[in-house]
Amino acid sequence: MKGFIKTGIMAICCMFAFCNCTMAGKDTPIRISQLPPVAQKIIKAHFSRNKVAMAKMETEWLEKSYDVVFTNGTKIEFDKNGNWTDIDCKYNAVPSAIVPVKIRKYVSSHYPHAKIVKIDRDRRGYEIELSGDIDIKFNKNFEVTEID
């Protein structure tokens, strides 16, 4: 009887794990109107001249995120609340209003002819890429931690 119960529990656990694995990593195309309001506001305020090529919602385990790609190649990633986490403008400058003031000041004083073409943020800080292929990492206090 014990063996039967153990086998049954193992079977249920395996089925649960299989169901979770099949649901993880699911990408679903969406309309801009289906993005969280914060993301919609960012797009309207800073990228309204760009035409959207694709928007999708990514579901990974218990996390949800959103990607928007524009026809000019610009890509924005948003977290589940609609806050941007990654903005890659390829060859164009990231809108300056999005970049924190301390980062803008650092770049303008140390790299006056460069423009910020990519910016990432996470709980540890920010990482930017300049037009001259220079990567700079900042901590939460906007102190430079690495230049590559």
Side-chain angles (χ1 to χ4, degrees):
M1 184 70 170
K2 277 186 175 179
F4 181 72
I5 293 174
K6 285 182 183 179
T7 305
I9 290 173
M10 286 295 286
I12 291 171
C13 288
C14 288
M15 286 176 34
F16 180 72
F18 178 75
C19 289
N20 280 339
C21 287
T22 59
M23 292 182 70
K26 184 177 178 187
D27 293 351
T28 307
I30 60 170
R31 294 182 304 279
I32 292 297
S33 61
Q34 294 175 291
L35 290 169
V38 174
Q40 291 180 43
K41 190 183 243 184
I42 290 169
I43 290 171
K44 188 175 183 180
H46 304 290
F47 299 94
S48 61
R49 292 183 178 189
N50 299 1
K51 186 175 178 179
V52 174
M54 177 192 73
K56 67 180 179 179
M57 178 178 66
E58 295 181 6
T59 308
E60 299 228 4
W61 296 101
L62 302 174
E63 274 301 309
K64 199 184 281 191
S65 64
Y66 301 89
D67 290 350
V68 176
V69 179
F70 297 95
T71 56
N72 68 352
T74 296
K75 181 180 177 184
I76 308 172
E77 295 178 15
F78 298 98
D79 65 14
K80 65 182 177 185
N81 299 317
N83 300 306
W84 67 266
T85 56
D86 183 19
I87 300 174
D88 186 353
C89 291
K90 301 284 183 210
Y91 311 106
N92 302 311
V94 172
S96 62
I98 291 177
V99 180
V101 174
K102 290 183 179 183
I103 293 176
R104 282 197 321 248
K105 285 182 180 180
Y106 178 86
V107 171
S108 65
S109 67
H110 291 83
Y111 303 94
H113 300 293
K115 58 185 175 183
I116 299 171
V117 294
K118 183 175 181 179
I119 185 166
D120 298 327
R121 73 174 169 193
D122 60 22
R123 66 182 188 279
R124 294 181 305 273
Y126 293 81
E127 182 174 352
I128 62 169
E129 182 180 324
L130 301 179
S131 53
D133 241 5
I134 298 170
D135 295 332
I136 305 171
K137 289 184 181 181
F138 297 85
N139 63 19
K140 286 190 242 183
N141 299 321
F142 302 104
E143 298 166 333
V144 175
T145 59
E146 185 179 328
I147 298 176
D148 186 23

